[in-house]
């Protein structure tokens, strides 16, 4: 809510400054009316527009890559959330905002009630062919909705026709809608000077429109202007009505005597386009930058796994066949292929376990309940050497047959030939040397039947990942701007000759 209000009120202020500096001196009153209405409506709607789908940017891992938040992290997050500070300045700001909005709403309801009482005490009348509500109260002539309110006894006979023509112009063009929209804007932005200035500009411009309608009807301009001066001593009506003697007589007379603006000045209204685009893109970029700062917060730790979560709530997957207890007070736990487990207790130092070592595996089981998904693996460490490689090949072949239609990410360490760094492609080596924060690169394909390359996946040593799509957007250029020339998809390894 706070972010919405900041965006809306910044837009209102910017639109008012544009009107004041660029448009207010022009005599294109109807276009000014459209600009001011657009300013309020756009300011209220554009903070709700999300351009994150349309604009390129790094994304989280898609497909079958899952971020797991173990039970110990959830428990800690819950405990932290319950420790709410006694004083929250944002909550105080929201309370002040709603108090002001409630007061503005109450003020509007009181005005409507006063108008209703006046309407009930008035009577229908007609003069010079204009219908109006006749009242005996000492008020300035005004119109609201489709009714004109007038005390004929307070005006000279020659003043009545200009007054009725002026108020009829307000009625015919539904100017009350503009005034109500301005009132709604000040209700939600009562603390913003831009909203009040826009409200004043809207009412002033409506008077310019009505004045021009009166003069276009053939009434002498001098007679009409003198009538405005004579009526200025009467009390003003309600702020949500269109008053005949709005408190800008000098300005209104000056605009009536001003020569029409040249048509070339119509180009000024094109300013609404860059303003709107600037607001949308600037605030969307701000929101994206805040989101990126959150995801790159070094205090946020992630456990990334390429399998779905375990059905057994007491354990959490760290790798396709390795689990750890979920009710531990840990800061994070990571699995690094092929056999390394890293655990960081909240109250201790980072610990490393080699699970292909029987003593190290036994210690990890005792302290953290590390176990394997297959019961037969519980009693033995991980396979080594050629036996482990053969097992991994069998598991990979099985996975291929089970997930032909699923997307997958290819990484060099999945191919035996490329497990030797000496065989890495030169552009891959150069990329890692230029970017020491990068751990490795992956290439995401749509499935194992069509092999359409979709994305480039960058794995950072911090544990974060970034995905850039090959879809014709600006994501790949953005990656090149950040990291330099990207490595190409490695060629297949050379064939092995049979002895």
């Amino acid at each position: 809510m706070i972010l919405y209000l900041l965006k809306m009120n910044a837009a209102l202020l910017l639109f008012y400054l544009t009107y004041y500096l660029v448009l207010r001196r022009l005599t294109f009153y109807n276009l000014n009316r459209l600009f001011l209405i657009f300013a309020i409506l756009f300011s209220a709607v554009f903070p709700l527009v999300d351009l994150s789908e349309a604009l390129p940017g790094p994304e989280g891992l898609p497909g079958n890559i899952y971020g797991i938040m173990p039970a110990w992290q959830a428990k800690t997050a819950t405990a932290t959330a319950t420790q709410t500070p006694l004083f929250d300045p944002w909550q105080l700001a929201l309370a002040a905002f709603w108090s002001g909005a409630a007061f503005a709403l109450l003020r509007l309801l009181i005005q409507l009630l006063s108008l209703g009482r006046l309407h009930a005490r008035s009577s229908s009348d007609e003069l010079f062919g204009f219908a109006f509500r006749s009242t005996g109260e000492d008020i300035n002539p005004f119109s609201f909705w489709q009714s004109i309110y007038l005390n004929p006894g307070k005006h000279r006979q020659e003043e009545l026709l200009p007054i009725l023509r002026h108020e009829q112009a307000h009625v015919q063009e539904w100017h009350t809608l503009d005034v109500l929209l301005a009132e709604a804007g000040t209700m939600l932005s009562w603390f913003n000077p831009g909203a009040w200035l826009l409200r004043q500009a809207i009412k002033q411009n409506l008077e310019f429109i009505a004045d021009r309608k009166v003069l276009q009807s053939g009434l002498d301009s001098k007679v009409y202007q003198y009538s405005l001066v004579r009526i200025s001593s009467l009390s003003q009506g309600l702020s949500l009505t269109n008053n005949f003697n709005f408190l800008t007589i000098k300005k209104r007379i000056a605009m009536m005597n001003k020569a029409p603006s040249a048509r070339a000045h119509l180009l000024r209204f094109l300013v609404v386009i860059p303003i709107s685009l600037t607001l949308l893109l600037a605030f969307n970029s701000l929101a994206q930058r805040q989101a990126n700062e959150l995801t790159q917060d070094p205090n946020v730790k992630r456990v990334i796994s390429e399998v779905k979560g375990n059905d057994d709530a007491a354990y959490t997957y760290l790798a396709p066949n390795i689990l750890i207890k979920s009710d531990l007070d840990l800061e994070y736990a990571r699995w690094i292929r092929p056999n390394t487990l890293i655990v960081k207790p909240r109250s201790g130092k980072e610990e490393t376990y080699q699970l292909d070592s029987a003593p190290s595996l036994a210690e990890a089981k005792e302290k953290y309940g590390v176990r394997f998904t297959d019961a037969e693996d519980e009693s033995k460490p991980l396979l080594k050497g050629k036996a482990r490689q053969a097992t991994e090949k069998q598991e990979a072949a099985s996975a291929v047959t089970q997930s032909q239609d699923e997307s997958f990410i290819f990484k060099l360490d999945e191919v035996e030939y490329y497990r030797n760094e000496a065989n890495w492609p030169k552009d891959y080596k150069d990329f890692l040397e230029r970017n020491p924060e990068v751990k490795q690169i992956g290439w995401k394909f749509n499935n194992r039947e069509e092999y359409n390359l979709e994305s480039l996946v960058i794995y950072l040593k911090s544990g974060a990942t970034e995905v850039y799509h090959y879809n014709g957007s600006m994501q790949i250029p953005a990656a090149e701007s950040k990291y330099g020339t990207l490595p190409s998809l490695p060629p297949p390894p050379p064939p092995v000759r049979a002895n």
Side-chain angles (χ1 to χ4, degrees), residues 432-481:
L432 295 181
E433 290 178 358
R434 287 197 315 271
N435 302 284
E437 73 275 17
V438 177
K439 180 181 178 182
Q440 62 178 331
I441 299 293
W443 290 265
K444 182 175 179 289
F445 293 83
N446 64 331
N447 56 54
R448 297 182 184 273
E449 293 181 349
E450 299 175 346
Y451 283 91
N452 291 328
L453 183 59
E454 292 183 342
S455 311
L456 177 74
V457 183
I458 298 179
Y459 297 84
L460 302 177
K461 292 179 180 179
S462 64
T465 58
E466 296 179 0
V467 179
Y468 299 89
H469 294 300
Y470 293 103
N471 60 356
S473 69
M474 295 299 294
Q475 293 191 15
I476 293 299
E480 292 178 338
S481 175

Side-chain angles (χ1 to χ4, degrees), residues 23 60 86 93 190 236 262 264 274 279 290-291 301 494 497:
L23 303 177
L86 297 177
W190 55 267
Q236 295 299 305
L279 285 168
Q290 291 175 340
K301 303 295 183 181
R497 294 184 180 181

